[in-house]
Amino acid sequence: MAELTEIVSWAEAEKEEEEEEEVEEGDRKLPIFCNLSITETETENCTFPVYMESLPYTVTVYGYVSPVVVLLTVVTNIFVCIVLMKKKMRSTTNMLLVAMAISDMLTGLFPAPIFFLFYTLGRYVDYVPFEWCYVTSLLTLHLPTVSHTASIWLTVALSIQRYVFVCHSQRAKTLCTVSNAVKAIVGIYLAAFASQVSRFFEYTYHPVELDSLTDPTVGVKVIGCYGRFAPFVQRNLALVLGLYWWFRVVFIHLVPCALLVVFNALLFEAMRDAQVRRAHLLRQNRKTESRCLAETNLATLMLVAVIGVFLLLEFPLAVLMLTMIYENSTDRRVMGTEDRRVASLFLNLLTLFSYPVNFFIYCGMSRNFRQTLRSLFTAGREQPSVSGLSRTVEIQSKNGAVHL
């Protein structure tokens, strides 16, 4: 997952470097292409050939750690999808969990080929070949952002759905159906794609002959590329990028995080009330209802844990984006470019590590998930449905009983 690698000051896209012909980047000297305006009326601007970062921690994280974590994510999330799509497990909650698992898996898978090609195989030492330039931005920036955006709003949908189930069970019978869950999932994916579709066309890449960085002294040439903003974007650069980043930080990070905090707090309150009702049921010796209520609380707690892990990573990302917007709105430096790259890199890594965590949360907190998973490896033995993740469990909420 590499969507955070574009979290750099958009003011850098407008910098003019007329007096220099090359600039140092790490241990490299990169040429600068200036006076390349798309039309004569546009302001002069400069750009660099496209290359992959070659700092030691970048190579280690993207070339060696990331492939292992992505492989673990793919394996665990495939198991999540198989288990939760079993007939006895099919429910509104589980449909949303499956969609989240697929989104997380795609966020890790999209950039994996680029990372393997350039970092694992060592091709990061030279310029990105022209034929790979657009593919690189597509797979490491735009598509991971689409799938991560979908994952964010699917998490919000899960939190709202669980709140309705627990606190408004009568409405849940008509609102929280599998068909409505499918519609919500499709709508979220379409909205996530629409929120990023302009990014697919804002850059054009042009071939350029360059001295190879692997051994520039012997005159080896490579066909690299440099990127240019599309004419409309170039003419309105500050406005277009400013609107995009404000939209992204507000509607893809701050608003979802605020909603998750609110609904998680409401779910905690509902669980506390359920504990009081359970104690009352036990005093009346109504053990079956008490057990169902306990299972419901455990299922809700499991989902709160999943949402909590998500929030722990989204808040720092939102803060990082806010600092970037502040810098470009006030021309005051909060973080250096190098510090921002390091923060982005390690937030990427932590986000990637969080993807397989959900599998272990399900295993640790849902007996039915464990039993169904175990049944995949035992010939034909079906396990009884006994957990809050099962479609057939009847739960007792504030307003009556509903079936998950």
Side-chain angles (χ1 to χ4, degrees):
M1 193 274 265
E3 58 150 334
L4 299 183
T5 56
E6 61 177 334
I7 301 181
V8 293
S9 171
W10 68 70
E12 293 179 10
E14 301 179 284
K15 286 182 180 176
E16 296 181 6
E17 302 281 356
E18 298 94 338
E19 299 180 358
E20 298 183 41
E21 294 182 354
E22 61 181 23
V23 66
E24 291 191 5
E25 175 68 23
D27 57 354
R28 304 167 172 176
K29 287 188 176 181
L30 304 177
I32 298 175
F33 301 99
C34 294
N35 304 309
L36 294 170
S37 298
I38 299 172
T39 71
E40 293 181 359
T41 61
E42 291 175 0
T43 57
E44 184 176 61
N45 54 81
C46 303
T47 188
F48 306 102
V50 177
Y51 65 96
M52 306 296 286
E53 287 186 9
S54 62
L55 301 174
Y57 46 77
T58 306
V59 176
T60 301
V61 169
Y62 288 147
Y64 302 102
V65 179
S66 177
V68 175
V69 181
V70 169
L71 179 61
L72 178 63
T73 299
V74 170
V75 172
T76 55
N77 283 14
I78 285 175
F79 278 126
V80 167
C81 293
I82 292 173
V83 170
L84 297 186
M85 289 302 292
K86 287 281 189 179
K87 187 175 181 180
K88 71 170 185 176
M89 298 287 287
R90 225 166 282 167
S91 69
T92 308
T93 298
N94 292 352
M95 291 295 290
L96 291 170
L97 292 176
V98 167
M100 287 170 56
I102 292 172
S103 294
D104 291 346
M105 190 162 49
L106 290 177
T107 305
L109 278 175
F110 281 134
I114 300 298
F115 289 165
F116 181 80
L117 177 66
F118 286 98
Y119 289 118
T120 308
L121 298 183
R123 295 183 63 177
Y124 66 90
V125 296
D126 214 339
Y127 296 109
V128 175
F130 170 66
E131 61 270 18
W132 281 95
C133 289
Y134 182 74
V135 176
T136 297
S137 66
L138 186 69
L139 292 180
T140 63
L141 297 178
H142 307 322
L143 289 178
T145 303
V146 170
S147 56
H148 187 61
T149 299
S151 183
I152 289 170
W153 280 101
L154 286 167
T155 307
V156 174
L158 175 67
S159 182
I160 295 173
Q161 180 268 343
R162 192 64 187 178
Y163 167 75
V164 173
F165 253 131
V166 172
C167 299
H168 302 281
S169 59
Q170 296 305 315
R171 290 185 180 181
K173 293 175 182 179
T174 55
L175 293 177
C176 299
T177 62
V178 172
S179 62
N180 283 345
V182 172
K183 292 175 186 176
I185 291 166
V186 172
I188 287 170
Y189 272 107
L190 290 176
F193 181 80
S195 73
Q196 303 298 319
V197 69
S198 64
R199 306 299 307 276
F200 289 77
F201 309 105
E202 72 179 17
Y203 250 91
T204 58
Y205 292 95
H206 307 272
V208 61
E209 188 177 81
L210 300 161
D211 290 324
S212 174
L213 291 172
T214 56
D215 197 351
T217 61
V218 298
V220 176
K221 300 291 184 179
V222 295
I223 304 300
C225 65
Y226 62 89
R228 308 298 297 166
F229 284 108
F232 172 78
V233 177
Q234 184 64 55
R235 286 191 296 268
N236 305 275
L237 192 60
L239 176 63
V240 171
L241 294 184
L243 286 175
Y244 168 77
W245 284 104
W246 270 113
F247 171 83
R248 181 166 167 178
V249 77
V250 172
F251 292 103
I252 301 180
H253 296 285
L254 291 181
V255 170
C257 285
L259 289 173
L260 288 173
V261 168
V262 170
F263 281 102
N264 258 20
L266 292 172
L267 285 173
F268 267 118
E269 183 66 25
M271 285 192 294
R272 196 156 48 205
D273 292 344
Q275 285 294 96
V276 174
R277 293 199 306 278
R278 181 169 179 257
H280 180 68
L281 290 171
L282 285 173
R283 284 195 297 270
Q284 295 179 336
N285 203 31
R286 295 161 66 180
K287 295 181 180 179
T288 301
E289 293 174 64
S290 174
R291 185 170 62 252
C292 287
L293 197 57
E295 291 169 355
T296 302
N297 257 13
L298 184 59
T300 302
L301 183 61
M302 181 189 69
L303 298 180
V304 167
V306 170
I307 295 167
V309 170
F310 176 85
L311 279 172
L312 283 175
L313 295 168
E314 286 303 312
F315 269 127
L317 174 55
V319 170
L320 188 62
M321 289 188 175
L322 282 173
T323 62
M324 180 190 66
I325 293 174
Y326 174 79
E327 286 180 355
N328 288 281
S329 301
T330 63
D331 291 326
R332 295 180 180 178
R333 178 71 67 176
V334 176
M335 297 178 67
T337 301
E338 190 68 20
D339 293 335
R340 191 178 300 282
R341 286 179 177 175
V342 172
S344 298
L345 176 71
F346 284 101
L347 277 176
N348 266 333
L349 183 61
L350 289 174
T351 302
L352 198 60
F353 271 116
S354 73
Y355 293 155
V357 166
N358 289 349
F359 172 81
F360 297 104
I361 292 176
Y362 303 153
C363 287
M365 301 185 70
S366 172
R367 182 169 58 176
N368 197 48
F369 185 90
R370 291 193 303 271
Q371 290 177 336
T372 306
L373 179 65
R374 193 181 303 120
S375 72
L376 298 178
F377 304 97
T378 56
R381 277 188 281 170
E382 288 293 331
Q383 299 294 337
S385 175
V386 293
S387 171
L389 271 181
S390 171
R391 178 176 61 89
T392 59
V393 173
E394 184 178 85
I395 65 172
Q396 184 73 31
S397 71
K398 286 183 179 179
N399 306 308
V402 297
H403 293 273
L404 286 182

